[in-house]
Structure formats: structure tokens, C-alpha cells
Amino acid sequence: MTVSGDSSETVSTDMIFEPILEHGVFRFDSSVDHRKAVFPSVSFKNSKDREVPIVSHSVPAYIPTSVCLQDQQVVTFEFSPGTSFYGTGEVSGQLERTGKRVFTWNTDAWGYGSGTTSLYQSHPWVLVVLPTGETLGVLADTTRKCEIDLRKEGIIRIISPTSYPIITFGPFSSPTAVLESLSHAIGTVFMPPKWALGYHQCRWSYMSDKRVAEIAQTFRDKKIPSDVIWMDIDYMDGFRCFTFDKERFPDPSALTKDLHSNGFKAIWMLDPGIKQEEGYYVYDSGSKNDVWISRADGKPFIGEVWPGPCVFPDYTNSKARSWWANLVKEFVSNGVDGIWNDMNEPAVFKVVTKTMPENNIHRGDDDLGGVQNHSHYHNVYGMLMARSTYEGMELADKNKRPFVLTRAGFIGSQRYAATWTGDNLSNWEHLHMSISMVLQLGLSGQPLSGPDIGGFAGNATPRLFGRWMGVGAMFPFCRGHSEAGTADHEPWSFGEECEEVCRAALKRRYQLLPHFYTLFYIAHTTGAPVAAPIFFADPKDSRLRTVENGFLLGPLLLYASTLSSQGSHELQHILPRGIWLRFDFEDSHPDLPTLYLQGGSIISLAPPHLHVGEFSLSDDLTLLVSLDENGKAKGLLFEDDGDGYGYTKGRFLVTHYIAERHSSTVTVKVSKTEGDWQRPKRRIHVQLLLGGGAMLDAWGMDGEIIHIKVPSESEVSELISTSNERFKLHMENTKLIPEKEVLPGQKGMELSKEPVELNSGDWKLNIVPWIGGRILSMTHVPSGIQWLHSRIDINGYEEYSGTEYRSAGCTEEYNVIERDLEHAGEEESLILEGDVGGGLVLRRKISIPKENPRVFQIASSIEARSVGAGSGGFSRLVCLRVHPTFTLLHPTESFVSFMSIDGSKHEVWPDSEEQIYEGNNLPHGEWMLVDKSLNLRLVNKFNVSQVFKCIVHWDCGTVNLELWSEDRPVSKESPLKIEHEYEVASFP
């Protein structure tokens, strides 16, 4: 293979390898010298496991090639056509990753989209499913920024600064076997306390202890199951960590005591940013102990976050971690049950990179890499903060399992914390993406995750919220959360129909808690995922590899509709080979997922409860049984105290249940047990699934043999037919949750309408006519880069009618005047008009021309339609202001370049903040946003005779490239116009 460099072509060579850890695991390095130069592993639970070869006579099935270019190590794997890629950690967009490119650089990615390439966590890991179903895992074991390029079928290309090793796992016979092998390197998920598998209710923020108590009591009054209430940042005194607001949260111990008595746990937020303020005990203590990250000149780095100017603990250093852990220990004494680590990418306000400078200095432990700059430790900062928090909770009470939730993470962080998918949006696209995002995290070693149910930003509609709760109640981590300034997003906030669906969804979860808890025990002890893509049931079946609206929970399969107008029963359910029997809890509803149980399986169910504390081992236990083709089934149940570490010392019970049919009788019994616990005295309710929701029931005592008499084949067929007919009739008569439109201008603009999509040639655009006619996202299809992505009510591509920021034009509802879809090679276009007052309209035509599909064009104008005669037919003073907000994927490697009318060349970098160009300094009809890391440029060409001013404005992770017309009145005969276009080209 040949790779082009700046001045010559460099030939890549096979990497050298050695077996490590266990059979089928190999370490690859570019050379012996590179092997000596690598840094210690932070992902491995024991970094020495990566360094010590084992005795093995096997050789790898796939040997990557590598080449070093400009201090970058480029590694390439080649696989046969039909290979599928998964993993890459916390990523948005499609489940199967072919065609995508990811950059591992932990980023505060509020309101991310399907094309966002860097989110809050970094997992330089690809799960490779070969056409045969055999599976291989590829880990680039580097903490540095890493590009994972999967844009070509069957090709993995990894680019990161030298030197780093590649670790491969397999190929093994199944993806589960690969994940289990991976866990032997990076560790398994911590064993969560059982209460953490209940429903969590959160908001930014419940502003007082009274409001928290009111929320908790409403759950109990409405009999909606829930176990946890969360306190966001506003509980603090001026956003100072480890403090409480004296007026709104005067007695946190009393609050947590009341919550505990009502069956609730309390989780509180802690951020890494510590307010720089003498007299604040945390700042004074940290300064005395010298735990802050320093600038390149050795002074503590100061960055602005919620409290204002902040210092940041250096969690790479054991002294700092111990200091933090002891603060956590004291904090827990207030009755704190769990801790939420947020903003730990680390996020920093008011800087274009959205984080701290890469040349900041960390005094890391030798076994982590020693003293290094921030670019080395950036991606593991959040994981090390979570580790320190976890260790602090262990110090506080060794008889309780810590529960930590972290926003930022790295591969291996599942050892210390759960995670969620960050600041998502309340729309149907994000509901759909949430399934794949949870699955990708599970395929990357992190099984304890979930989204903000209902969406964090914006207002969900009743149907969107109910549908999201339906599927969210089946995710491993189940939490509702919403942004400040939005409407209430509790399960009862959307009307009776939605409330009833939410109640049913959460009752399902609580009945399935014995199954969830068992799955987590298996994940903790073996590394198997909790939620897995449907193709795990048959990795050879290519039909299953792109299914994105369903997943497996062990042998339980569910399908959920993520389309507003379609119920789950109306979907085409692609099932794996074998027997899959539909069932429900007599709660079927079009807005709830459809459930199936795999033939040959037994799962355990509990009676419905309102919180985990109500469960008792003496409660009746239900066994749901689905026989395979041979009339057999098996399953296991893990039980312990639900907290603490007794399970590591034998204080638990694992029961293996089996079922077998002989003639017309099915017997269910215990085949074996594990653990020291005695079997509780309890009744067993066996439900034998027949198909179509029909089942047979039998009762007995746990541990005894239970017999079920099976009717004749004709009688069984009749039962199935009757059940199917009843289900069909029920679903036809049960309506979807009604939608309710949010009034225009309402705070937290409703996000769940479907944007208009233009998708032709090189471009895919999403436009929202109902608020500003804005372009919400701009994706360049060949490169896979989303150059622009915004929230629905601000930023994106906006246009104004005045010189003031966000003057008329950016929030009004636009009418779609004309929509031409691409037919027979004609151009695809959209014409919008918005009334900006005073008899004026802002008209915009967005088109992708057939003669040049590499570009998309925007022709905008302010036109006078009904200007009064008293003004001489002229309007007020107006200015057409084009205001796109482009996303910076690599802020430190991006700049704006152009040649001005006077022939001078300009490069405008982020540290210049805002620059204005007029007269002969104007770009000569063309300027471009360059990303040197991508070697791409976004070229914006415009009619220079229409543009009187250009502005470059750098902000936190974004840049505006503004085009301004002259400032004058308009008449019907003299509109203001700006015509321009965008194209992506390579940057040499």
C-alpha cells in the first residue's frame, strides 16, 4: 500500500506483533523502536498486561500495515466486502459505521447531530463483524486525539500521533466472545446497586428542596415507579462544588432523609471547575495541596465555567485524586447516594476550543504517562475524575456500592461510572439515534448507559415523550432529564394519555428488574453486553446488521417505533432465525415497544412495585418460558442484597431454571444453584408462551418441580389465533398519544416537527421553515462532515433584515412557496418567504443545481410587497445579513482564508476573535473555512457587487462567516439581494 506524503510517496509496511493477555489477543507496533516509545496503557485495568507477551504458537488472522507521516502514525486494516463495522464508542448517527469518520476528542457537544464527529467520550475501538459472522475487535491504545476513518467499505484507517500500539481481539466465533475478551483487558462494568436500575428523574434544575420533595411525592401519589431524584448544579452556593445554597437547600441531610423514607435515593452533581476564590475552603485546600492543572509557565490554569474563573484538579496525579476522594467522602455524609460528574471533558467557557489549552501541564503518575501536556491527557480527564469520585464514595462507606455518572469518559471508564449520551434534542431523530448510541456504547465496553429520555433541549410533545419513555424504560440506564427554560418534562406533564403510557412503560421495567439485574451480574462477571443489537442473535444474517429500532436484552427482543405516525405494531419486525414469541404484560399500546422472547429461554419477572425498596425475596416470582424447537428452555436468576459486596464472598444465589416438554407435559425445575444463600420460600408463577401473546399458567413453590399440561395442537392453534385477534383488535382501538402543538414563540421551541430535507449531489441539508427558515444542518456527503449543526431556535444558517444581531428574519415562521424534489436530474430546490414586518418579506431560494451538484446555492432577498404610498413606496432602513454559524471540528487547526479586492492575502485564526472587512479589504467574491486536520476547505463564493461588509466572528467551538448587504430602504423595484454558494474542496 502507498500513502502520499507532502513531497514523496511512503510505503506502509506490516506491523510487528506479539501475543498478549490470552489466546487470540495480539499487540501490533510499527517497529521495535516504536514499541519501546509507547506510553503506558490507561485503558487496560492492569497496564502490564499489555507489555508482557504470552507463549502462543498462533498468528493473527489480520495484520495491519502502518506508516509514519509528519509525526502521525497511520494504521490500516483491510477486510473483505460485506464486513460490517460497529463500536467507536459514544457516536451519533447510524448503527453500522461504514461511511463514517470519528475523531476521539472529548467535546462539550450540546445539541449534537447525526454528523457530529466528536462527542463527550473517546473509544478508539472498532468491532468488526465479518461476512461469516466471525468477529474481531480493534483497539488503538492511545489517549491522544485519534481519527478513525471507516468511509471505505472493509477499510479501517486509524491516524494518531506516534507512537501507539494496536490491540486486536479475535477473530472469534461471535461478537459477544470479542467483548468478553476485551473486558479481560479493560475490565468489566462496576456492579451497580439494584436501586440504580430503577427510574431516575432529573431536571436542570429542581430549584429548592421543597420542589424536590414535591416531585418525589407526586410519583408516589400517581403510582408511577421511580427510585432516584437528581440535583443539578443549582443546589450549590454560587456553583461552588461541595456547598449547598443556604436558602434553597438549607439542610441537605434532612432532605435526603425525607427522600429515603419515601423510597428515593438522591444523586448530586459535582463539576471539576473549582471557583478561584480565597476563603472558599475547597479552593484554599486545593491550593495548599498544589493539586491544580498548570499552564505552560507553571502557574495554575484559570478557565471560566459556571462559577466564573475556575481552577481544575489534576486527576492524573494520585495526590490530587486522593484530595478529591476525601472531599467526596465528606460530601457523602450528607446522605448523598450517588454523584454526577458533569462538564469533565473538561469544558471551558468563552474559548473557541471549548476546553483548556493543549499545552497545559499535568503532573501525571508514572504508570499513567508521567508529566505530559493536556493534549496527552485530555481524553482521559473525565475517566480519571470519575475514578477519583468512585474511590471517594468507597471511602465513605465500604458496605455500599458507589454510583457515579460521568459525561466524559474513555474506553475503560465503565470500571468506575455509568454514562449518558449527553445534551440531546427533543425530536424524533434523537429518539431514533438514542437506540444506536446506547448500543454502540455497549459494543465498546460500556453497558450502563442511556439518553436523556424526552430529550434535554427543547420541549417534547406528548407523543414524543411517551414514545421515548416506552423505549427508554428498556435501556440499561433509565433517566428523564431536561434543560432549564423548557416546559416540565415529568411523566405526568403531557396529559393523561401520555402519563398512562409512561406508567405502563415503567411498570414493565420494574417487573423486568430481576432480569435486568441478572444481565448486569453477567456483564460484571463476563464482559457481555446488557443491551445488544439484534444481529447478536445471528451474526451471519446480514438483514439484521442495520436494524436500528430494536435491540436485545439477553434473550428478550424488543421493537420500538421511532416514527411519529406509526405505532410499534405497524413496523416490519425482522426477527432472527429460530423461535421468537411475542408477549406483553396485558399493557400493549402502539406507543410501547413490542416484546419477544427467544425460544429456549427463561427469564424472571417480579410483581410491579413503586421502587426497589419495596421488593422482597419472598415475593412471588414469575418465570416466562419460551421453548425451542426441541421443547427445551433454560435461564438463570441472580439474587443478592442489591447493594454491598456480599456477592463477592458467596452471599448470593444464582438459580439455573430449565424447562422440558415430554409429550403433552412441560416440567419446570431448578437444575443447579450457585452461592451460599438459602432459597427463599416463595411461590413461582410459570407462564409458558405459546405464540401470538397466548400463554399457559401454572403455580408452584420455588425449588419444586412444576408441571404444565399442554393442550392438543388444535387447541393451542385456537388459543394463538384468539390471542392474535384480540391483540389486533386492541391495537386498532387504541390510539397513539395525541400530539399537541406548541404555540409559536413559546419558550423552548418545540422540536419534534420534521425538518424539510434537501438531499442531492454532494449535499444533505435540513431546513426548519417554522422558525426562521433556518438551515439546521449542512452535511457534505462525500466527506461525511457536518459543517453546520445547530439547535432549532438559534444559530445554524440564519438571515436577518437589520444590522442588529438577531433582528427580524431569524425567528419568524416562513412559508414554503415552492418545493422541487429531484426528478430525472432536475435541480432540487426550496423557496421560502418570511414576513419581517413593514410590508417586507425575506425570500430565500436554496438549491442544488443539476449542472453542478458539488455546490448548493442560496439566493436571498428583502422585497417590498405592501409598502405604504406615504413613504414614496420605500421601506424602512434594512440590511440583508447572512449569518451562518459553522461548527469547528478542530478549532486549533481551523482558519479563514481569502484574497481581498486589493490583492492582499488573509489568514484569520481563532485568536483574532472578530474581524470586519469592507471596501478594498473585502474578499474578492470568495472566502473559505479551512480545516487543516481534515485537509478540507468549505468555500463560500458570493456576488461581490451585492456584499458591502464581511465579518469573521470566532466563538466557543464555532465561527460565523457573515455577508452584509448595504443598509438602505427597499421598494418593489429595488430589493436587496445576496446570492452565494458553498462547496467543499481539498486543502493541499
Side-chain angles (χ1 to χ4, degrees):
M1 180 179 177
T2 302
V3 181
S4 296
D6 274 353
S7 58
S8 63
E9 291 191 333
T10 305
V11 176
S12 56
T13 57
D14 286 353
M15 300 182 79
I16 62 172
F17 64 86
E18 59 186 11
I20 62 168
L21 195 66
E22 63 187 18
H23 173 73
V25 180
F26 292 91
R27 169 180 172 162
F28 295 87
D29 293 274
S30 292
S31 68
V32 173
D33 288 341
H34 280 281
R35 181 178 293 165
K36 294 176 180 177
V38 301
F39 290 99
S41 176
V42 182
S43 63
F44 274 54
K45 62 182 177 180
N46 181 358
S47 61
K48 292 180 181 178
D49 287 344
R50 197 191 69 181
E51 310 306 324
V52 180
I54 62 170
V55 176
S56 173
H57 299 294
S58 61
V59 296
Y62 295 91
I63 298 176
T65 60
S66 75
V67 64
C68 294
L69 296 170
Q70 301 174 331
D71 298 323
Q72 299 284 308
Q73 180 178 317
V74 182
V75 175
T76 304
F77 284 86
E78 297 188 12
F79 302 99
S80 58
T83 297
S84 303
F85 296 137
Y86 303 91
T88 65
E90 186 184 57
V91 287
S92 56
Q94 68 206 41
L95 176 66
E96 203 283 308
R97 304 303 294 170
T98 298
K100 305 295 280 186
R101 178 160 59 164
V102 172
F103 296 87
T104 64
W105 186 252
N106 292 2
T107 302
D108 180 358
W110 187 103
Y112 55 84
S114 61
T116 305
T117 55
S118 296
L119 297 183
Y120 307 87
Q121 304 199 17
S122 294
H123 295 75
W125 160 262
V126 183
L127 190 71
V128 183
V129 182
L130 303 169
T132 60
E134 283 191 309
T135 306
L136 175 80
V138 175
L139 171 65
D141 199 17
T142 176
T143 63
R144 302 290 297 276
K145 184 184 294 182
C146 180
E147 176 183 342
I148 304 170
D149 187 348
L150 307 175
R151 288 176 294 171
K152 293 183 180 178
E153 184 183 10
I155 304 292
I156 299 176
R157 194 165 180 256
I158 299 167
I159 306 171
S160 190
T162 54
S163 298
Y164 60 92
I166 296 290
I167 316 297
T168 62
F169 301 80
F172 297 131
S173 60
S174 70
T176 299
V178 172
L179 293 176
E180 290 176 349
S181 182
L182 173 68
S183 76
H184 300 158
I186 67 168
T188 63
V189 67
F190 71 99
M191 185 64 190
K194 195 172 186 179
W195 59 260
L197 303 185
Y199 175 66
H200 301 241
Q201 183 61 52
C202 186
R203 180 170 178 82
W204 176 30
S205 289
Y206 294 125
M207 296 299 292
S208 70
D209 53 5
K210 293 181 178 60
R211 179 61 174 155
V212 171
E214 178 187 350
I215 292 292
Q217 190 56 47
T218 305
F219 272 101
R220 297 295 178 247
D221 293 344
K222 290 182 172 290
K223 299 193 182 322
I224 299 174
S226 182
D227 265 271
V228 192
I229 305 289
W230 291 59
M231 268 51 73
D232 207 319
I233 197 169
D234 294 284
Y235 78 83
M236 300 176 188
D237 176 13
F239 305 132
R240 297 170 183 85
C241 285
F242 302 103
T243 69
F244 300 90
D245 186 282
K246 293 179 176 58
E247 294 184 2
R248 292 181 288 107
F249 289 87
D251 191 344
S253 295
L255 172 61
T256 54
K257 184 178 179 181
D258 288 346
L259 288 173
H260 292 164
S261 67
N262 206 0
F264 280 95
K265 304 294 185 182
I267 294 181
W268 306 71
M269 175 183 280
L270 289 175
D271 288 350
I274 301 300
K275 186 175 179 67
Q276 183 198 24
E277 180 182 64
E278 291 186 8
Y280 165 37
Y281 81 100
V282 179
Y283 174 74
D284 292 342
S285 168
S287 297
K288 180 180 178 181
N289 285 279
D290 191 22
V291 301
W292 311 128
I293 295 170
S294 62
R295 303 184 317 201
D297 63 6
K299 296 178 181 178
F301 166 73
I302 310 298
E304 187 147 330
V305 207
W306 293 111
C310 287
V311 288
F312 294 80
D314 185 359
Y315 300 108
T316 70
N317 183 276
S318 57
K319 183 174 75 169
R321 290 198 302 276
S322 177
W323 169 82
W324 180 269
N326 278 288
L327 287 171
V328 168
K329 176 186 174 183
E330 294 304 314
F331 186 64
V332 168
S333 67
N334 293 288
V336 169
D337 299 294
I339 292 176
W340 175 13
N341 290 159
D342 195 25
M343 303 291 289
N344 55 343
E345 292 73 32
V348 178
F349 295 163
K350 299 182 181 179
V351 290
V352 72
T353 62
K354 300 202 282 190
T355 192
M356 60 179 61
E358 292 186 28
N359 65 351
N360 276 1
I361 301 300
H362 293 263
R363 288 166 289 174
D365 299 339
D366 289 342
D367 61 354
L368 295 177
V371 176
Q372 300 290 337
N373 63 26
H374 184 67
S375 65
H376 182 84
Y377 284 122
H378 174 86
N379 284 335
V380 297
Y381 186 80
M383 178 172 89
L384 294 172
M385 181 188 185
R387 170 184 167 180
S388 184
T389 305
Y390 183 93
E391 290 168 350
M393 294 199 74
E394 282 186 315
L395 288 175
D397 191 337
K398 295 189 180 301
N399 294 316
K400 286 186 178 180
R401 299 174 204 162
F403 182 82
V404 178
L405 183 81
T406 184
R407 189 169 80 175
F410 188 69
I411 190 163
S413 59
Q414 74 285 341
R415 303 194 293 266
Y416 314 111
T419 195
W420 86 106
T421 60
D423 295 341
N424 59 358
L425 302 178
S426 290
N427 64 29
W428 290 91
E429 179 189 33
H430 275 255
L431 163 59
H432 183 81
M433 281 200 307
S434 69
I435 299 175
S436 293
M437 292 183 75
V438 169
L439 295 177
Q440 301 289 20
L441 281 162
L443 299 185
S444 304
Q446 172 52 289
L448 185 46
S449 76
D452 287 340
I453 293 172
F456 176 71
N459 286 330
T461 61
R463 184 179 301 168
L464 175 63
F465 189 87
R467 191 77 60 83
W468 213 326
M469 185 65 79
V471 65
M474 306 299 282
F475 284 142
F477 175 61
C478 177
R479 183 183 77 154
H481 184 38
S482 52
E483 185 180 39
T486 59
D488 289 346
H489 276 65
E490 290 75 39
W492 55 82
S493 303
F494 298 90
E496 290 183 9
E497 296 95 335
C498 181
E499 179 181 327
E500 190 53 47
V501 166
C502 291
R503 184 181 293 106
L506 291 171
K507 280 185 175 180
R508 276 186 174 187
R509 181 178 186 86
Y510 277 68
Q511 287 181 266
L512 285 163
L513 271 182
H515 180 57
F516 271 108
Y517 196 55
T518 299
L519 289 176
F520 269 101
Y521 175 72
I522 294 169
H524 173 64
T525 53
T526 71
V530 172
I534 288 177
F535 76 81
F536 266 51
D538 187 359
K540 297 177 184 176
D541 190 343
S542 60
R543 300 174 310 146
L544 304 175
R545 294 193 182 183
T546 55
V547 174
E548 296 183 342
N549 57 351
F551 55 94
L552 297 166
L553 294 165
L556 190 158
L557 183 154
L558 65 96
Y559 264 102
S561 173
T562 56
L563 298 173
S564 172
S565 60
Q566 189 178 51
S568 62
H569 64 298
E570 298 172 292
L571 296 172
Q572 179 187 4
H573 295 178
I574 304 172
L575 298 175
R577 287 182 301 176
I579 294 172
W580 295 86
L581 301 181
R582 180 178 57 77
F583 72 97
D584 56 42
F585 298 94
E586 297 183 350
D587 61 355
S588 291
H589 191 285
D591 286 306
L592 291 176
T594 302
L595 306 177
Y596 296 88
L597 186 61
Q598 185 176 20
S601 304
I602 300 174
I603 63 172
S604 303
L605 310 174
H609 291 293
L610 292 180
H611 60 91
V612 167
E614 287 187 341
F615 284 91
S616 167
L617 291 170
S618 60
D619 290 341
D620 293 344
L621 183 70
T622 297
L623 299 181
L624 203 60
V625 180
S626 175
L627 300 177
D628 64 15
E629 297 90 338
N630 299 313
K632 296 181 179 181
K634 62 181 180 179
L636 63 86
L637 171 65
F638 170 78
E639 297 170 285
D640 72 346
D641 286 324
D643 206 345
Y645 296 95
Y647 75 95
T648 66
K649 301 167 185 172
R651 296 198 292 275
F652 67 92
L653 177 64
V654 172
T655 305
H656 295 259
Y657 293 100
I658 60 171
E660 193 166 1
R661 178 171 179 170
H662 295 284
S663 186
S664 60
T665 301
V666 173
T667 58
V668 180
K669 64 181 181 179
V670 174
S671 65
K672 69 172 182 175
T673 61
E674 303 169 44
D676 297 339
W677 266 19
Q678 294 296 309
R679 182 165 306 285
K681 187 176 181 181
R682 61 187 171 196
R683 295 194 307 166
I684 289 283
H685 178 204
V686 177
Q687 294 183 307
L688 177 65
L689 301 184
L690 302 175
M695 60 181 68
L696 300 174
D697 294 88
W699 286 85
M701 295 302 295
D702 192 11
E704 298 177 356
I705 298 175
I706 300 172
H707 300 280
I708 306 173
K709 183 73 173 175
V710 181
S712 67
E713 283 190 27
S714 61
E715 290 172 309
V716 168
S717 295
E718 180 64 27
L719 287 171
I720 294 172
S721 176
T722 301
S723 180
N724 272 326
E725 194 60 38
R726 189 184 304 121
F727 175 78
K728 180 182 177 183
L729 190 63
H730 172 75
M731 295 302 256
E732 286 174 351
N733 291 329
T734 305
K735 293 182 170 57
L736 294 169
I737 299 170
E739 284 288 34
K740 183 168 61 178
E741 294 298 332
V742 174
L743 297 175
Q746 181 170 335
K747 182 75 171 174
M749 175 59 67
E750 188 259 305
L751 301 179
S752 62
K753 293 181 182 177
E754 291 293 328
V756 175
E757 182 179 283
L758 293 185
N759 190 352
S760 181
D762 283 6
W763 290 98
K764 180 179 178 182
L765 312 175
N766 281 321
I767 300 115
V768 285
W770 64 91
I771 177 163
R774 85 184 60 252
I775 301 175
L776 196 63
S777 69
M778 273 173 50
T779 302
H780 182 248
V781 176
S783 66
I785 300 301
Q786 195 169 34
W787 288 92
L788 177 148
H789 174 75
S790 78
R791 59 187 290 168
I792 208 156
D793 56 348
I794 194 169
N795 294 336
Y797 177 96
E798 301 177 322
E799 291 181 357
Y800 312 149
S801 62
T803 57
E804 305 84 10
Y805 176 58
R806 294 184 66 74
S807 52
C810 66
T811 58
E812 288 76 10
E813 181 165 358
Y814 281 58
N815 294 315
V816 176
I817 305 302
E818 186 178 312
R819 169 85 195 268
D820 290 325
L821 294 170
E822 186 176 19
H823 293 296
E826 298 175 7
E827 77 174 17
E828 186 161 350
S829 64
L830 182 70
I831 299 176
L832 307 168
E833 283 189 0
D835 187 337
V836 292
L840 300 176
V841 298
L842 212 164
R843 181 181 175 92
R844 186 176 313 141
K845 180 179 181 181
I846 306 167
S847 58
I848 303 171
K850 67 174 182 179
E851 68 274 7
N852 186 9
R854 296 181 61 186
V855 309
F856 80 89
Q857 299 172 335
I858 303 176
S860 299
S861 57
I862 298 178
E863 302 177 5
R865 292 288 169 84
S866 56
V867 176
S871 61
F874 284 90
S875 72
R876 66 181 188 274
L877 207 64
V878 289
C879 171
L880 178 54
R881 181 176 172 183
V882 173
H883 187 272
T885 302
F886 296 110
T887 304
L888 299 174
L889 300 177
H890 305 96
T892 60
E893 299 172 74
S894 300
F895 63 95
V896 174
S897 174
F898 64 90
M899 181 178 287
S900 63
I901 291 173
D902 64 11
S904 57
K905 293 183 178 179
H906 297 259
E907 281 192 3
V908 189
W909 288 83
D911 56 8
S912 64
E913 296 184 353
E914 181 171 287
Q915 297 293 320
I916 300 173
Y917 301 94
E918 300 177 276
N920 286 334
N921 282 326
L922 272 177
H924 198 5
E926 176 179 311
W927 57 350
M928 64 189 73
L929 173 60
V930 178
D931 187 321
K932 289 178 67 177
S933 180
L934 296 173
N935 292 322
L936 292 176
R937 51 186 172 157
L938 176 67
V939 182
N940 180 205
K941 296 180 180 180
F942 56 88
N943 185 336
V944 74
S945 67
Q946 300 170 337
V947 175
F948 280 67
K949 183 190 295 186
C950 289
I951 297 180
V952 180
H953 176 80
W954 302 94
D955 206 340
C956 197
T958 62
V959 64
N960 303 113
L961 270 63
E962 298 188 40
L963 304 174
W964 292 42
S965 74
E966 62 181 319
D967 190 15
R968 64 169 173 82
V970 298
S971 67
K972 290 183 179 179
E973 292 75 26
S974 60
L976 279 175
K977 295 182 179 179
I978 293 181
E979 296 160 327
H980 64 120
E981 67 182 33
Y982 294 98
E983 179 179 358
V984 173
S986 61
F987 181 73

